[in-house]
Amino acid sequence: MAIPDDFDAWFRLLQTPGLGREGARRVLAAFGSPDAALGATAQALTELGGPALTATMARREPECEARLAAARAWLAGGDERHVLTLGDAFYPPLLLQTADPPLLLYVQGRASLLAAESVAIVGSRDATPQGLANAREFARELAQAGLSVVSGLAAGIDGAAHEGALAAGGTTLAVVGTGPDRVYPARHRALARRIADTGAIVSEYDPGTPVLPEHFPQRNRIIAALSRGTLVVEAAPRSGSLITARLAVEAGREVFAVPGSIHSAQSKGCHALIRQGALLVESAADILEALRGTRPAAAPAETGDEAEDPLLAALGHDPATLDALLARTGWPSAELSAKLLELELDGRVARLPGGLFQRRIAG
């Protein structure tokens, strides 16, 4: 995809100090194109927005031309690098339907996927082992059903969701809060490369934009808007994942939440969403039924050693302390510790902070 002829004008308009996305859309609506907006007379600008708008449009970002040159250099660096303007015929239709669509979108990878049917999966950066397993499994099953998985490349649930989709041979989109040439957190560099190879990295920030905290809540609106629904796997009561869920509701999308233990802080955000009307889901089939009206065949019932293991039965599905398990089983401490270690090594029990143990349910 070639660099649009009017890219420079779009870039300069967006870089106008003090204008912002809302102001840019206002002048675009009035003058029809970024070139016309940038070339508008003082009289026309004053008639539209008074002296304040005229003064704003006269400002120039000192580093604008250098940043424009850097953006052009990045776009010229490979066939998989693209930029979509708000006026582009290939601009994602779902984003156009929202109140605050980005004026520019940088894409590394398959830009066509931005129009594909997708579901967002988001959640805590400090996820529990079970939360990470749940995110991978939901993503895997949704990808197998033909949906793209959208997330934010963050640590925790986001990364697990991307990994689950890739493991299924599906596609995933990472909407980032930095420039498209930056990876945050740095440990996700290899994951970002895999996503760009088969899916797409998406950003509204020009190349070279560093990590800035205020950008991450902003990118959440894109995650929500690109997707037909948003699944929250784990979330604390006040978290970015709940912001994404709220933005999904505002965009007219479905919101899904995975319930958890009443003793887990990472479940409280999901429980709050369910109380507010989010659909409680226990499997990807629940999401597919809500979005498509279809339900895949049920997975086989749990059988074998895991179903019969007395320690797993005593542990249940809530975190428990060693003392609680001693009381429930009546086993000697050494025997219980050995059995817990065995289950932990098998990946069926996770050791949590605070001396807690939690059962892990495989997909």
Side-chain angles (χ1 to χ4, degrees):
M1 188 182 297
I3 300 175
D5 292 338
D6 56 356
F7 168 67
D8 292 11
W10 282 98
F11 189 96
R12 291 184 179 115
L13 181 66
L14 193 56
Q15 294 286 326
T16 301
L19 186 63
R21 293 189 301 270
E22 183 177 350
R25 282 194 295 271
R26 185 181 180 191
V27 297
L28 284 168
F31 299 108
S33 73
D35 276 313
L38 291 169
T41 65
Q43 179 180 347
L45 291 169
T46 300
E47 290 174 356
L48 176 64
L53 179 60
T54 304
T56 295
M57 292 298 291
R59 297 177 188 143
R60 292 292 177 263
E61 170 62 52
E63 298 180 0
C64 179
E65 295 308 309
R67 297 182 71 167
L68 173 57
R72 278 190 155 275
W74 181 82
L75 288 166
D79 292 339
E80 78 287 356
R81 297 178 181 181
H82 318 280
V83 63
L84 301 176
T85 72
L86 190 62
D88 199 305
F90 297 99
Y91 194 90
L94 286 177
L95 270 183
L96 281 177
Q97 299 170 13
T98 61
D100 187 16
L103 272 68
L104 291 177
L105 275 178
Y106 298 92
V107 182
Q108 179 158 350
R110 297 168 57 187
S112 61
L113 286 177
L114 274 69
E117 187 180 27
S118 61
V119 170
I121 299 180
V122 297
S124 174
R125 286 176 168 81
D126 299 317
T128 67
Q130 186 63 60
L132 296 173
N134 288 343
R136 291 189 189 97
E137 184 61 16
F138 271 95
R140 185 186 67 80
E141 293 186 9
L142 291 169
Q144 287 177 337
L147 293 169
S148 285
V149 172
V150 181
S151 199
L153 198 62
I157 296 299
D158 287 21
H162 292 305
E163 290 167 355
L166 291 169
T171 57
T172 182
L173 286 76
V175 182
V176 298
T178 63
D181 57 336
R182 302 289 182 95
V183 177
Y184 179 80
R187 65 176 179 271
H188 278 174
R189 290 188 188 280
L191 176 60
R193 284 195 294 270
R194 293 171 61 204
I195 293 170
D197 285 344
T198 59
I201 305 288
V202 183
S203 178
E204 67 177 320
Y205 302 108
D206 53 283
T209 301
V211 177
L212 296 173
E214 61 268 26
H215 286 177
F216 291 91
Q218 291 295 315
R219 68 92 193 264
N220 289 349
R221 80 187 195 286
I222 302 175
I223 294 175
L226 281 175
S227 312
R228 291 189 57 198
T230 292
L231 169 65
V232 182
V233 177
E234 286 186 335
R238 289 182 293 274
S239 67
S241 302
L242 300 191
I243 294 174
T244 306
R246 174 178 58 78
L247 293 168
V249 171
E250 292 175 358
R253 312 290 194 260
E254 297 281 358
V255 175
F256 311 100
V258 178
S261 168
I262 61 172
H263 303 294
S264 172
Q266 300 296 1
S267 296
K268 294 188 182 301
C270 290
H271 294 168
L273 289 174
I274 292 168
R275 286 194 295 271
Q276 294 163 14
L279 181 64
L280 183 156
V281 294
E282 298 175 317
S283 69
D286 296 330
I287 297 174
L288 293 170
E289 185 173 38
L291 295 180
R292 296 176 170 176
T294 59
R295 176 170 283 272
E302 186 179 290
T303 58
D305 293 342
E306 182 166 344
E308 300 167 0
D309 192 291
L311 180 52
L312 289 176
L315 182 55
H317 295 277
D318 280 352
T321 64
L322 185 63
D323 286 343
L325 292 173
L326 286 169
R328 293 175 192 175
T329 62
W331 295 355
S333 178
E335 180 181 347
L336 177 60
S337 296
K339 181 62 176 176
L340 282 170
L341 178 59
E342 177 185 333
L343 292 174
E344 188 178 354
L345 293 173
D346 285 345
R348 292 188 286 172
V349 167
R351 190 182 300 266
L352 304 181
L356 295 172
F357 295 88
Q358 184 178 38
R359 184 175 182 174
R360 297 182 67 174
I361 307 299

